[in-house]
Amino acid sequence: MKRNIYYKLLQWKNSSYRKPLVIKGARQVGKTYIVNEFGKNEYENLVVLNSDKDERIEEIFSHGYRTEKLISDMEILSGQRILPGKTLIFIDEIGSVPKALESLKYFCEDSPEYHIIVAGSLLGLAIHSGVSYPVGKTDELTLYPLTFSEFLLAKRGEAAFDRLINEPIQELSSIKTILIEDLREYYFTGGMPEVVNGLLENRDYQDLRDIQKRILADYALDISKHADSSILGRIHQVWNSIPQQLAKSNKKFIYGDIQKGARAKDFELAIQWLLDAGIIYKIPRVRKVGVPLKFYEDFSGFKLFLIDHGLMGAMVDAPISEILIGNNIFEEYKGTFTEQYVLEQLEASGNDVYYFDSESSKLELDFMIQKDSVIYPIEVKAEENLNAKSLKQIKKDYPECEPIRISMSDYRKEENLTNIPLYVAERI
C-alpha cells in the first residue's frame, strides 16, 4: 500500500542535513510497514530491531553511548553488516527502550553517516515520563491514517490519485459521482490500513467493522496497560465521551458532559495521556482573526476529535447500511462524521488547526488555518448547503481573511468565499 510519507522518506535519505529520523503516529497506522518497505526498496540491507520483542536490545543501550560499540553490538545481534549509506537501521517500538531514544543525540553528533529511523506507537508517553528527548538532534515525521487521496490510490490506482491531487478542482466534476461513492465508502472504512486492506481483499463489511472493533479494543488495552492507575478511569471517560461531545451543535469540549460537576483539573492529565498516545486531536479555540493565529489562542476552549472517523463509526455502532447506501452519511451524521473527516484531512496535510468562537458576536466557525500571512476560516457543510452566514459575516468583520466552505457542492469562487467539494478537503 503506497503512502504519501514515502516521498518524504526519500527526501530524508537524500538530504545533506539528514539526522536520525523519528516517526510518530498512533498504533496501527502503518509505521512498521512503511519503514520496512522503504528499507527493502531503497537500501542494500535493512536491520530491524524491535524493542518490544527482543529484551537484548535494551541491554545493548545500557552500557553507554559510544556509537562505534553500539553499531558493533547491533551487527552481532542482527547478524548483518551495517554500512553507512547502504544500511538502514530501524528501531521499532523505541519507547520501550528510553536509552535507545537518548542515543540518537550521539548518532547525530558523532556518527551522522549512519541512516537510522526509529518509531513507536506510545513514543509520546515515553517522552513525558522522564525520557531525555534529543531535542534538535533528530528529524521528525508523523504518519496518520490514510487520507482520502491515499484511500483512492489504494482502491483505484495512480490515475485517479493524480487527478484528485493535481487536476484543477473545477474539472473534477466529470468524475464527481465516482468520487462521492468512494468518499461514502471511505467514511465507513476510515483510514486504518488493516481495514482498507480488508476492503481491497473484498472482505464483507461486517468483517471490516470487526477489525475496527478490535483496533478499538487494542487502544483500550493500551490505556489499561500503560496509564497510571490514578487516572485510568478518567482516560476511559474522556475517550468514550468524544463522539457524544462532537454530536452537539456546539462541539466545544465540556467537562460537565463527562461527569456532573467535573472541572478541568479533574481531566487535564487524562486528555494529555490520550494526546501523547496519538489517538486524539485537540483543536484550540481562537477569539480573534489575526496573524499569527497562535497569538490569539484561548486555552479555556477546545474541541477533541478521534484519530479516525472509521473507528468513530465502530465506536458508536453507526449502522453500516446507513453509511454505505444513499446520502444518510452526509446528512444524518453531519455533526460528527463530516467535521471529523475534514479535520483529519487538514491535520494530515500539516496544518495547525484552530476553531473560531466569538462571545461578542456569537459567531462560530468549524475550523481556521493560517498559511503564510493569510487566514482561512472554514465552515463544513455535509450536503449541498450553500448557506454561509457565518463566513459572510467574518469576511465583513475581517476583510483580509479568505473564507472557505467545504460542502457537497461543486467548486465555485464567490465574492465572499470559495466552495471546495468535500472529496478534495485535503487540498485546502
Side-chain angles (χ1 to χ4, degrees):
M1 182 179 292
K2 294 183 179 179
R3 302 295 305 273
N4 293 334
I5 198 174
Y6 196 96
Y7 305 103
K8 296 180 181 179
L9 292 173
L10 283 173
Q11 292 175 344
W12 170 81
K13 177 180 186 287
N14 297 321
S15 172
S16 302
Y17 306 100
R18 184 193 60 258
K19 301 174 184 177
L21 177 63
V22 177
I23 297 185
K24 299 178 179 180
R27 185 178 296 282
Q28 301 188 53
V29 295
K31 299 184 299 300
T32 299
Y33 169 83
I34 198 65
V35 177
N36 276 315
E37 285 296 299
F38 177 67
K40 292 172 185 175
N41 294 339
E42 308 298 337
Y43 291 84
E44 291 185 11
N45 67 310
L46 169 68
V47 170
V48 180
L49 306 174
N50 191 310
S51 303
D52 260 0
K53 296 179 179 179
D54 194 335
E55 295 179 355
R56 296 173 297 176
I57 296 172
E58 184 172 11
E59 185 177 350
I60 286 176
F61 291 94
S62 64
H63 300 288
Y65 297 119
R66 190 161 57 88
T67 55
E68 296 90 343
K69 185 178 186 306
L70 290 173
I71 291 294
S72 176
D73 289 348
M74 285 189 259
E75 288 180 329
I76 293 172
L77 181 59
S78 66
Q80 299 184 64
R81 292 287 295 170
I82 297 177
L83 302 175
K86 297 181 178 181
T87 302
L88 176 63
I89 303 169
F90 176 33
I91 307 176
D92 203 3
E93 297 301 341
I94 194 169
S96 300
V97 183
K99 289 186 179 296
L101 185 62
E102 293 173 351
S103 76
L104 299 181
K105 171 185 176 181
Y106 301 94
F107 277 106
C108 175
E109 293 176 345
D110 303 334
S111 301
E113 66 274 17
Y114 290 103
H115 292 214
I116 302 175
I117 296 179
V118 305
S121 301
L122 301 175
L123 184 56
L125 298 179
I127 293 170
H128 284 98
S129 63
V131 172
S132 177
Y133 190 78
V135 177
K137 305 298 180 181
T138 63
D139 295 319
E140 294 183 4
L141 290 174
T142 300
L143 185 62
Y144 301 90
L146 276 76
T147 62
F148 179 58
S149 68
E150 290 177 314
F151 174 85
L152 196 69
L153 175 62
K155 184 181 178 184
R156 296 197 181 271
E158 293 188 3
F161 172 83
D162 287 341
R163 287 194 66 181
L164 183 70
I165 292 300
N166 298 313
E167 190 167 291
I169 296 175
Q170 57 268 34
E171 296 181 15
L172 291 172
S173 58
S174 63
I175 57 171
K176 173 181 177 179
T177 301
I178 294 172
L179 292 174
I180 292 175
E181 289 175 358
D182 289 340
L183 181 60
R184 181 180 293 110
E185 202 161 40
Y186 175 67
Y187 267 38
F188 169 69
T189 64
M192 301 306 281
E194 186 179 358
V195 183
V196 177
N197 271 329
L199 178 73
L200 301 179
E201 294 167 359
N202 295 314
R203 297 167 73 170
D204 65 63
Y205 291 118
Q206 186 56 57
D207 195 12
L208 301 185
R209 175 57 63 82
D210 291 341
I211 294 173
Q212 293 170 330
K213 292 278 191 178
R214 180 177 49 75
I215 294 172
L216 288 170
D218 288 344
Y219 283 176
L221 184 62
D222 277 342
I223 294 172
S224 298
K225 181 179 178 181
H226 297 283
D228 188 278
S229 59
S230 64
I231 61 169
L232 178 59
R234 292 175 183 178
I235 294 173
H236 284 294
Q237 284 180 287
V238 172
W239 171 253
N240 291 326
S241 78
I242 292 175
Q244 288 75 24
Q245 299 261 3
L246 292 176
K248 303 178 301 183
S249 57
N250 179 358
K251 296 173 178 60
K252 174 189 172 184
F253 191 84
I254 304 296
Y255 294 103
D257 288 348
I258 306 177
Q259 179 180 301
K260 187 176 181 179
R263 294 173 293 177
K265 68 181 185 64
D266 299 319
F267 288 95
E268 284 176 338
L269 290 179
I271 291 172
Q272 187 61 53
W273 195 100
L274 292 166
L275 288 168
D276 289 342
I279 57 178
I280 66 169
Y281 299 113
K282 183 179 181 182
I283 308 304
R285 175 172 62 189
V286 290
R287 293 286 200 184
K288 180 180 177 181
V289 178
V291 179
L293 278 174
K294 187 73 176 174
F295 279 0
Y296 304 101
E297 183 174 339
D298 176 7
F299 294 100
S300 67
F302 59 90
K303 300 178 185 178
L304 294 184
F305 291 84
L306 299 178
I307 187 176
D308 178 70
H309 58 276
L311 294 183
M312 183 167 67
M315 196 170 178
V316 300
D317 286 314
I320 296 173
S321 60
E322 291 194 16
I323 298 176
L324 294 169
I325 301 173
N327 291 321
N328 285 350
I329 188 60
F330 302 116
E331 297 174 0
E332 298 300 327
Y333 302 113
K334 61 183 178 181
T336 51
F337 281 88
T338 309
E339 193 169 330
Q340 169 78 42
Y341 153 75
V342 170
L343 184 275
E344 291 169 32
Q345 311 311 299
L346 294 174
E347 287 282 350
S349 301
N351 296 284
D352 290 328
V353 186
Y354 303 85
Y355 82 97
F356 180 83
D357 180 1
S358 171
E359 288 182 335
S360 57
S361 64
K362 306 297 182 183
L363 186 63
E364 297 180 10
L365 285 165
D366 298 319
F367 301 117
M368 193 165 283
I369 60 176
Q370 173 188 335
K371 285 295 182 184
D372 298 322
S373 60
V374 181
I375 303 295
Y376 296 91
I378 299 170
E379 190 167 39
V380 177
K381 300 289 186 181
E383 320 115 52
E384 295 193 32
N385 185 336
L386 301 184
N387 182 23
K389 292 181 180 178
S390 295
L391 290 178
K392 292 176 182 177
Q393 184 61 48
I394 203 163
K395 181 68 173 177
K396 181 180 178 180
D397 295 344
Y398 303 96
E400 68 278 8
C401 72
E402 295 292 338
I404 292 175
R405 176 183 56 213
I406 305 177
S407 74
M408 290 307 299
S409 296
D410 293 335
Y411 174 87
R412 58 169 56 81
K413 189 166 182 63
E414 303 173 5
E415 181 180 357
N416 294 315
L417 59 90
T418 300
N419 189 85
I420 303 279
L422 270 168
Y423 48 79
V424 286
E426 66 184 287
R427 282 183 61 176
I428 290 179

